[in-house]
Structure formats: structure tokens, C-alpha cells
Amino acid sequence: LRAFKMATHEGSLEITTDIDSPSAGETTSLTESKESTDGVRKRTSSKAAKTEEDEPKKKNKPWDNRWVQQRIPACRPIWHPLHVFVLFLVTGLIFVILGGVFLGVAISTREVEVEYTSSKCIAQDNMNCEDFLVMHNVSERRENQSLLCHCKVTFRVDEELRSPVHVYYGLNNFYQNHRRYVSSWSQDQLRGENLEDTNDCDPASTKKADGRPILPCGLRMNSYFTDVLTLENFLIDQSNIAWPTDRAVRFGTNNITEEIAKNETSPPPFWTRDLSEIENGLQNESLIVWFRASAFPWFRKLYGRIHKNIPPGNHTLQVVYNYPVKPFSGTKMFVLSEVSWLGGKNLFLGLAYIVTGSLSVFGAVLIIAIHFTISKWKTSHQQFKELTNDH
């Protein structure tokens, strides 16, 4: 409520506005309410302080320092085109130099490659070994171990190969990276834990005639490379050619006896011998090397090492030809290679470094060219603008 009173006193006009004040009862009520609210606040604050004191310190609470809370001053450089040019140029030159060194080492590594497929490997009766394998199938050769195709291939070494000489066999047009091929094997079988575990080995899991499990099962083991390669007057050492992790983790101990191999299991369909007839059984290192699948349809796998120099001249390779490649139009190679500090002869690494470095140098030139072009355009545009403003 408002009351307006106008009065004239000594020639002046006084206007006063009175606002009704609360009554005595209302004042008492407001005072009590305020005291009550203040008391609640005091009790709440004291209770919170007491709770914080009594509450145990959290174990996983991060430290309150600049390093943990990421409050350290940071530097965020803004790269100038000239800085980027220098970085790309230096990186490219380093890569080109390293690539040249790697390529030079690879080229200087001596290597001899001999193909012994088909017509290049003729048996003593002038029969092609591929035709011999077609004439005598796997079952016949398994029953009669004397049905073997022996051939000799003469090749020439132009320069002396320094010890240790690595011996490889190579296959072309053989796709070990096929999904079904890669997944067709049994881990429990290879470890020797459960010889009847063939669930993942289809289509080479069990023998259809008697239902016995195939040992070792799967397409990988069924296609095991079985050629026997011998270099006249030289001993090929086939020990320590597999990865230690493969020997220790994937393959178990040699606990497959002849009785188990012949009476309780069946050999893979492509094999002419049982697992018990293979040296060291599942620990055979050439078997372990073959098991590691290759990513490309052309590949080499380590066959052994020769621990003496091979002099220049003519040499003879003796082959027991057991592995047919005609069904998949493949070829087979016998490779002798020296080993440098970069490994065997491999041109890819050096070429990859050179190509990468060249692209980096090209990028540097492109960046600096764009930078100067834009700078020149900006300068011309600024001069034109100033000339226009002057006129």
C-alpha cells in the first residue's frame, strides 16, 4: 500500500512515500526463520567437514601436479614452408643414401638358382619325372618304396660362394595364402596332446576307408614338400633351420611311435611314408619350415646350410623327385645363396628405400615451388593494390 501526502511548508513541496512495514509478529517470524536457516547451514557445513576428515583417501585418485594434470606449458610450433622443405629434403636424401647402400650389398651377394622341373630333371630311363609320378600314383609308391624317380641336374657356379651357404628350395604358382589352406590344421595334434583332434582339418581330417584320424591332419601338412635334394661332394646341414618359437610353441615332442602311426592313425593322402618314418617326427625341422605359410604364390623356404666354400665350376644336383608341380602349373628351384649382414640376396629393401626417398625429395621440391609461387602472387597483388590506391 502506498500513501501520498502533499504539504506546503515554507514555499517548498514535499512528497513522501510510505511503505507499510511488517508487523511485530511478522518480524519475529522472519527472525526465527533466518536463525533456523543459519543453524541448518552450520550443522551441514560441520557435518561435511567431519565427513571429509573421516573419509579415507581414494587409492586411484591422480596426483594433483602439473605433470599429471597436464598443466605444463606446451609448445605448438607453426611450421614454415621452408622448415618443411628442409625436413623432407634431408629425410629423402638419407633414405636414398641408405637405399643405395642396401642395394649395393644385395647386388654383391652371390646367388645361384637352378630350375629342376619337368624336362630339366630326367630319370635314368629317359623318363620325365612328372610323367613318372602320374604313371605311379601315391598309393603305389607308398606300398613300394622303390618306385622313386631319381634325376641329376648339372649347373655351373661362376664365382666362389663363401661359407655359410644357405640352401633353399623354391616354388612358383603355389598359393599357400588361401584362407581354407591356412586354417586347415590342428594345434593339439601338432603339440602331441590329442591325436584325434581333427575338427579344423577338413577336407584332410580322417581317412574315409576306416575313419581313423589323419596324422598330421590338414591341407598344410598334406602338401608337405617331399623332394630330397643332395649336392655332390657337399653335406647339407638341416639342423636349426626352423624358428625356435615354432619348435617350442606350435610343435610338441616326438612321442609318435610306429605302433601309433600305423595302427591308430593314417598318413596324409599325399604322403608316401608314415610320420614315424620321418626323422624326429613332429619335430622335423623341414616339416616345421614348410608349415609356416607364405604370403605370395612364389616363395623360397630354407632347406639347409653348407658350412664350406663352394668353388666355381660345374656341380651336380641329385634329386629324389617326389613332389609333382604339373597339376598347378608350377616350377621348382634349387637355390644356393651367400648371406650378408642384411641376410640373403634381396633387392626389394634397397629399391623400397630409394623410391621412398625419391618421393620425399620430390615432395620437398613441390612444397618450395608452391610456396614461392604463392609468395610471388601475393607480392604482385599487393603492388597492384598499392598502385591502384595511389591513382
Side-chain angles (χ1 to χ4, degrees):
L1 299 176
R2 292 177 177 170
F4 298 92
K5 182 165 74 171
M6 303 176 61
T8 307
H9 180 64
E10 295 181 351
S12 62
L13 178 63
E14 181 181 355
I15 301 176
T16 61
T17 303
D18 294 337
I19 301 175
D20 294 342
S21 58
S23 62
E26 292 177 351
T27 304
T28 304
S29 177
L30 290 173
T31 304
E32 292 177 354
S33 176
K34 183 177 181 181
E35 291 177 354
S36 176
T37 304
D38 293 341
V40 171
R41 288 178 179 174
K42 289 179 180 179
R43 288 195 298 271
T44 304
S45 61
S46 62
K47 186 177 180 181
K50 185 177 180 181
T51 304
E52 291 178 358
E53 293 177 358
D54 298 339
E55 184 180 1
K57 190 176 181 179
K58 295 182 179 179
K59 295 181 180 180
N60 297 328
K61 186 176 180 180
W63 295 341
D64 187 15
N65 56 48
R66 294 194 305 168
W67 175 262
V68 175
Q69 298 299 332
Q70 299 183 8
R71 295 194 295 265
I72 297 177
C75 178
R76 297 181 180 178
I78 300 176
W79 289 90
H80 190 273
L82 292 177
H83 299 158
V84 179
F85 165 74
V86 173
L87 179 63
F88 271 62
L89 182 64
V90 172
T91 303
L93 292 177
I94 292 175
F95 268 65
V96 170
I97 294 172
L98 289 177
V101 173
F102 296 160
L103 189 62
V105 172
I107 292 175
S108 64
T109 302
R110 302 186 184 99
E111 181 181 280
V112 177
E113 184 176 287
V114 182
E115 182 184 349
Y116 66 96
T117 310
S118 218
S119 59
K120 300 191 177 187
C121 195
I122 305 297
Q124 295 178 354
D125 55 357
N126 293 328
M127 176 177 287
N128 187 305
C129 281
E130 287 286 336
D131 296 335
F132 177 88
L133 295 180
V134 173
M135 183 182 303
H136 303 283
N137 57 32
V138 177
S139 299
E140 292 182 18
R141 287 184 282 125
R142 183 182 295 134
E143 294 175 359
N144 186 1
Q145 294 289 333
S146 62
L147 286 175
L148 299 174
C149 185
H150 295 268
C151 65
K152 293 184 179 182
V153 179
T154 301
F155 63 94
R156 180 171 181 79
V157 175
D158 295 327
E159 297 179 286
E160 182 182 41
L161 301 178
R162 298 178 293 259
S163 172
V165 180
H166 282 54
V167 181
Y168 301 89
Y169 62 87
L171 288 177
N172 284 340
N173 207 33
F174 189 99
Y175 290 82
Q176 278 195 318
N177 58 355
H178 193 281
R179 181 176 179 274
R180 191 175 188 185
Y181 180 91
V182 171
S183 61
S184 180
W185 63 288
S186 171
Q187 178 69 81
D188 289 343
Q189 258 202 0
L190 297 183
R191 288 177 179 169
E193 297 174 356
N194 184 5
L195 302 183
E196 296 183 357
D197 180 24
T198 60
N199 296 329
D200 298 326
C201 295
D202 288 336
S205 57
T206 57
K207 188 176 180 180
K208 296 181 179 180
D210 51 17
R212 291 189 298 180
I214 293 175
L215 179 69
C217 68
L219 293 176
R220 286 209 215 180
M221 290 304 184
N222 184 46
S223 59
Y224 170 52
F225 185 82
T226 52
D227 281 1
V228 180
L229 307 174
T230 307
L231 187 61
E232 284 189 357
N233 303 322
F234 294 94
L235 176 64
I236 299 178
D237 180 16
Q238 292 186 284
S239 62
N240 297 322
I241 60 174
W243 289 17
T245 51
D246 286 347
R247 294 198 304 264
V249 178
R250 282 188 170 180
F251 290 80
T253 58
N254 182 25
N255 56 358
I256 310 300
T257 63
E258 184 177 356
E259 181 181 357
I260 294 176
K262 292 188 177 296
N263 299 330
E264 300 181 14
T265 61
S266 298
F270 193 67
W271 287 22
T272 58
R273 296 182 294 171
D274 296 321
L275 184 63
S276 60
E277 299 175 13
I278 296 179
E279 184 181 2
N280 296 328
L282 289 174
Q283 282 288 306
N284 183 277
E285 299 216 16
S286 63
L287 185 69
I288 298 174
V289 169
W290 172 261
F291 182 80
R292 180 165 287 277
S294 175
F296 300 101
W298 58 92
F299 57 84
R300 294 177 180 179
K301 292 184 181 291
L302 186 60
Y303 188 77
R305 299 180 183 89
I306 298 176
H307 299 287
K308 60 185 296 188
N309 296 344
I310 299 179
N314 293 329
H315 297 273
T316 301
L317 170 66
Q318 297 180 352
V319 181
V320 180
Y321 203 106
N322 294 321
Y323 200 82
V325 293
K326 190 175 181 179
F328 57 88
S329 302
T331 56
K332 296 190 289 189
M333 278 81 63
F334 174 78
V335 182
L336 298 173
S337 176
E338 293 180 340
V339 179
S340 65
W341 56 275
L342 275 178
K345 187 171 186 176
N346 184 7
L347 303 180
F348 174 78
L349 184 62
L351 293 175
Y353 266 76
I354 292 175
V355 170
T356 304
S358 301
L359 290 176
S360 182
V361 172
F362 175 75
V365 174
L366 185 63
I367 289 171
I368 202 65
I370 293 174
H371 169 65
F372 281 122
T373 301
I374 294 177
S375 300
K376 184 177 180 181
W377 178 84
K378 285 184 177 181
T379 303
S380 301
H381 182 71
Q382 185 67 24
Q383 292 176 352
F384 176 77
K385 191 174 180 181
E386 292 176 356
L387 183 63
T388 304
N389 292 335
D390 292 341
H391 290 286

